[in-house]
Amino acid sequence: QVQLVESGGGSVQAGGSLTLSCTGSGSTDRRYCMAWFRQAPGKERELVARIASAGGATMHADSVKGRFTVSQDNAENTVYLQMTNLKPEDTAMYYCAAGSRWLGPCLQPGLKAADFGAWGQGTEVTVSS
């Protein structure tokens, strides 16, 4: 079993910054590929960023590239999402997710929410203009 606990959400003004944290426990084989998703009201869940636990390779969605950075501290079993220059359209519930090593390459194209087997409870980010 994998458990994920997020923290760090909040309310900021446009242009501000927040850093989200996701601390995981349980099987490392099932935390092979770590990802951040977000879901705004009335919209589908969007894959924002992902990081391969082994090696640390990362990928970010075009909508956040250059503003968000995913990173990890394996010693602390924690994945971070540093968000800068936040925009009102970044307002959403942000979820940490874990995919197992049987997922295949973490940075493969086409990964979607259903491919990730463990989820955190979510942390809310609100950006006001």
Side-chain angles (χ1 to χ4, degrees):
Q1 293 285 349
V2 171
Q3 290 189 326
L4 304 173
V5 179
E6 301 112 330
S7 62
S11 297
V12 296
Q13 291 191 327
S17 300
L18 283 173
T19 297
L20 307 183
S21 300
C22 171
T23 299
S25 61
S27 168
T28 53
D29 280 344
R30 298 190 183 278
R31 290 186 283 123
Y32 177 74
C33 180
M34 299 298 296
W36 287 98
F37 285 79
R38 67 184 180 186
Q39 189 166 21
K43 295 189 176 181
E44 292 188 358
R45 196 164 290 194
E46 175 190 13
L47 177 55
V48 174
R50 46 191 147 149
I51 183 166
S53 297
T58 64
M59 184 171 286
H60 300 79
D62 287 343
S63 57
V64 305
K65 202 169 291 183
R67 301 188 298 119
F68 291 13
T69 303
V70 61
S71 62
Q72 63 186 359
D73 182 339
N74 285 341
E76 297 292 331
N77 292 316
T78 300
V79 175
Y80 303 96
L81 185 67
Q82 183 178 10
M83 306 184 293
T84 62
N85 192 20
L86 282 159
K87 303 176 181 181
E89 52 264 43
D90 295 318
T91 295
M93 187 70 79
Y94 283 72
Y95 298 91
C96 176
S100 75
R101 64 172 55 254
W102 297 280
L103 183 64
C106 182
L107 303 189
Q108 65 181 287
L111 284 182
K112 51 191 182 299
D115 295 313
F116 291 82
W119 292 82
Q121 80 285 359
T123 186
E124 192 164 7
V125 172
T126 302
V127 184
S128 58
S129 57

